[in-house]
Amino acid sequence: MVGTMALLHALSRTTRTARTARTALTVRAAPASPRPADGLPADDEVLLDAPDERLAPVLVAAGLGDHRPAAALLAATRADGAWEERDLYVTRLAAFARPRGEWFAQWCALAPDDPDVLLLRAELAVTAHWESPARVELLRGAAALVAAATGGDPRDPVPWRVALDHARGADADPAEFERLWGEAVRRSRHHYGCHATALAYLAALRHGSHGECFDFAETAAQDAPPDSLVQALPLRAAFAWLTDGGRSAIPSERLHAAADRAIALSSRYAPADPWPAEVRNLLACVLAALGRRPEALGQLRLTGPYATSFPWDRFPGDPLGRFLDLRRGVARETGARGAVRPAGPVLPRSERAGRMPALDH
């Protein structure tokens, strides 16, 4: 089990000192949209963060000022113990409520102690302050809202994911983060959002030394079921290392093993399924960075019209534009090499690690 002691061990280890030369991250604009490669939707068919069939009508109703479908959706996820879906819907509803909050204000007034209201309020408080220069102070001021959310449904791990994000943004010390982590995994051993937040905290704590991050991510993935999103956690560690310029020594094999594990996860879902879209977006990005462009193109085909903000919001510019840039570049380069192969490296592995792709290849 990936439990409290596993993270505590990672948090308490000394920072590795091995370094490699930092590699610049190059992200350049692509020319106007070419004709898409076979198997890829046209650029104007691609959607960013498209809601699934359950969330879409809820957002429409919220836009019209009706909170009741949102309340019913979140209550259903709580009743069913559908924690991954609940986390996704809370994140999307909070993002929707930030510029359009009337429907949520009405809900708060009618049911201020509802666990779903408490959770959305906490998520809004954390995300609203995240980009502020005064983030630490503002987030510490939101601690009461986060604590109220964790006191809602005692089975629910999602408030504890919010609490972990809050602790990360408020510069909580490792002991406090460890306490929150223990509460989270006690409720759901393999909740992806909690694991992703723990990985991000660990990466920030180690200031660019990524060995501990890979240790944590790989152990979590080994413990998780084959269809769990936690199988993509090593891929996130690989992406963090690549975008950090490869400042610590990570064997190439670990990067490729992370990609291979995520390919196996992707294969468990149908093509053009919006649920694994974020994993497939991230996987295409990392595969391209590793020189495995035919496989990156394969994942882009499986992704279909579903672009996601992450990982493209980690690059300068518009996330949808970044996705389309990489898609064009991968399709162009792969087509120039001849027939698209279903798998296999483009370059020897020793030549492929430690750089992110220029998105207009």
Side-chain angles (χ1 to χ4, degrees):
M1 175 179 175
V2 181
T4 303
M5 294 307 296
L7 182 63
L8 180 60
H9 178 66
L11 292 174
S12 63
R13 290 176 61 181
T14 57
T15 303
R16 294 182 185 271
T17 57
R19 304 287 183 189
T20 58
R22 183 163 186 165
T23 304
L25 173 62
T26 304
V27 181
R28 300 190 295 272
S33 174
R35 184 177 65 186
D38 288 345
L40 296 176
D43 285 3
D44 60 5
E45 296 175 354
V46 177
L47 307 170
L48 182 68
D49 295 332
D52 65 16
E53 68 278 1
R54 296 182 70 189
L55 183 60
V58 168
L59 295 178
V60 171
L64 297 173
D66 186 358
H67 71 277
R68 290 172 297 178
L73 177 63
L74 291 187
T77 61
R78 189 155 44 89
D80 296 341
W83 307 128
E84 300 290 5
E85 290 87 347
R86 179 174 175 80
D87 204 350
L88 174 65
Y89 296 151
V90 164
T91 302
R92 296 288 181 86
L93 285 168
F96 189 84
R98 284 187 65 183
R100 313 172 189 84
E102 296 83 1
W103 63 275
F104 184 56
Q106 182 185 46
W107 188 8
C108 290
L110 293 172
D113 298 322
D114 182 271
D116 303 324
V117 167
L118 296 174
L119 176 56
L120 265 175
R121 288 184 68 192
E123 175 72 9
L124 271 166
V126 172
T127 56
H129 299 317
W130 196 264
E131 300 298 332
S132 171
R135 181 181 73 186
V136 172
E137 180 179 355
L138 290 170
L139 285 180
R140 288 174 178 170
L145 290 175
V146 176
T150 61
D153 190 322
R155 304 169 302 138
D156 188 358
V158 182
W160 296 96
R161 191 273 301 160
V162 177
L164 289 168
D165 273 329
H166 176 266
R168 183 166 69 93
D171 288 348
D173 61 46
E176 173 61 10
F177 196 92
E178 175 68 16
R179 181 187 71 80
L180 298 171
W181 169 254
E183 297 285 354
V185 296
R186 184 157 59 248
R187 288 161 173 82
S188 179
R189 291 172 56 194
H190 307 299
H191 185 261
Y192 178 63
C194 292
H195 280 78
T197 297
L199 183 66
Y201 179 83
L202 188 57
L205 187 70
R206 292 306 179 209
H207 303 294
S209 180
H210 295 272
E212 292 89 345
C213 297
F214 273 90
D215 292 344
F216 171 68
E218 290 164 354
T219 303
Q222 289 164 9
D223 184 59
D227 60 349
S228 169
L229 292 178
V230 174
Q231 295 295 333
L233 204 65
L235 187 73
R236 292 185 76 111
F239 178 75
W241 184 83
L242 288 162
T243 52
D244 198 33
R247 290 192 292 166
S248 57
I250 299 295
S252 175
E253 288 74 15
R254 295 184 89 170
L255 303 173
H256 292 284
D260 293 340
R261 185 183 287 274
I263 289 172
L265 175 63
S266 174
S267 71
R268 292 178 170 272
Y269 293 94
D273 182 344
W275 177 251
E278 184 177 280
V279 169
R280 285 170 169 163
N281 274 241
L282 179 60
L283 180 53
C285 183
V286 171
L287 286 168
L290 297 177
R292 298 167 62 172
R293 286 175 173 78
E295 291 164 285
L297 182 59
Q299 292 301 317
L300 290 166
R301 286 172 169 163
L302 291 173
T303 299
Y306 297 111
T308 57
S309 290
F310 180 77
W312 315 109
D313 57 4
R314 303 306 195 265
F315 299 96
D318 169 58
L320 179 57
R322 298 295 89 191
F323 171 80
L324 295 174
D325 282 345
L326 183 71
R327 201 177 70 143
R328 294 169 196 148
V330 167
R332 185 182 305 117
E333 180 175 333
T334 306
R337 293 171 185 270
V340 176
R341 294 172 292 169
V346 174
L347 300 173
R349 292 197 172 191
S350 61
E351 298 178 43
R352 288 189 274 134
R355 60 182 186 275
M356 287 299 296
L359 297 188
D360 64 341
H361 277 145

